[in-house]
Amino acid sequence: MPKRTNDFQRFVTHIYEQMTDGIVRESELIKEKNSDSEREVDVLIRKKVCGNELNIAVECRKRDENKKSARKNQSIEWIDCLIGKYMDLPIHEVIAVSKSGFSETAKQKALAHGIKTLTLDEAEEVDWNNRFT
């Protein structure tokens, strides 16, 4: 397993491995369009849908639970970073998963840019096989 991973990513990866027939990769490096630059995706799900390969990126956030900031919802700044990161990557859908949830402005911005926001509890409840068919 790549050194860039953490317990939260492994847990989310486990969820996807149990709930999808696609290929699940953790800390996957994806080449940017029109560039030699590569970017890390926390969890990448590749699944064939109607004969076409669909790339779904899952970004994970868990803060140190002993810090005050760990109890705060994820802010619009994290969503801004995801928008910029995925602008030039061959990804069809981005899902942001946060243990602490999201601020209202973060949810609004994510929705406007096609990023799905889920808490960890919500991610555990999704029927992932039916989600991507």
Side-chain angles (χ1 to χ4, degrees):
M1 189 161 298
K3 292 180 183 177
R4 295 177 300 273
T5 192
N6 60 46
D7 291 337
F8 187 67
Q9 284 176 244
R10 280 191 295 277
F11 181 67
V12 172
T13 299
H14 176 73
I15 292 169
Y16 291 110
E17 288 173 335
Q18 298 300 310
M19 298 185 176
T20 183
D21 59 352
I23 297 168
V24 178
R25 302 233 189 263
E26 184 181 351
S27 294
E28 185 78 358
L29 292 174
I30 302 291
K31 189 174 180 272
E32 287 185 345
K33 299 173 190 171
N34 305 314
S35 169
D36 290 332
S37 180
E38 291 184 318
R39 303 295 299 268
E40 180 184 357
V41 174
D42 288 345
V43 180
L44 178 68
I45 302 170
R46 290 188 173 182
K47 185 171 179 171
K48 287 222 181 231
V49 177
C50 299
N52 297 308
E53 187 168 270
L54 183 64
N55 293 321
I56 300 144
V58 181
E59 290 289 334
C60 310
R61 264 292 163 96
K62 176 187 172 193
R63 299 291 188 197
D64 183 351
E65 301 214 358
N66 296 323
K67 293 184 179 179
K68 187 177 179 181
S69 64
R71 294 180 290 276
K72 288 186 179 179
N73 290 337
Q74 293 303 310
S75 70
I76 195 170
E77 285 81 13
W78 185 39
I79 300 302
D80 286 337
C81 289
L82 294 179
I83 292 165
K85 177 179 180 176
Y86 284 98
M87 180 184 322
D88 292 323
L89 291 179
I91 298 295
H92 300 96
E93 183 170 7
V94 178
I95 301 170
V97 177
S98 168
K99 186 171 184 176
S100 62
F102 297 86
S103 69
E104 281 306 311
T105 56
K107 287 192 249 184
Q108 290 168 4
K109 183 116 186 210
L111 180 64
H113 289 271
I115 297 173
K116 175 79 174 170
T117 56
L118 298 171
T119 65
L120 183 56
D121 290 340
E122 290 169 338
E124 291 175 318
E125 298 297 320
V126 172
D127 180 351
W128 293 102
N129 270 330
N130 289 326
R131 172 74 177 85
F132 300 112
T133 55

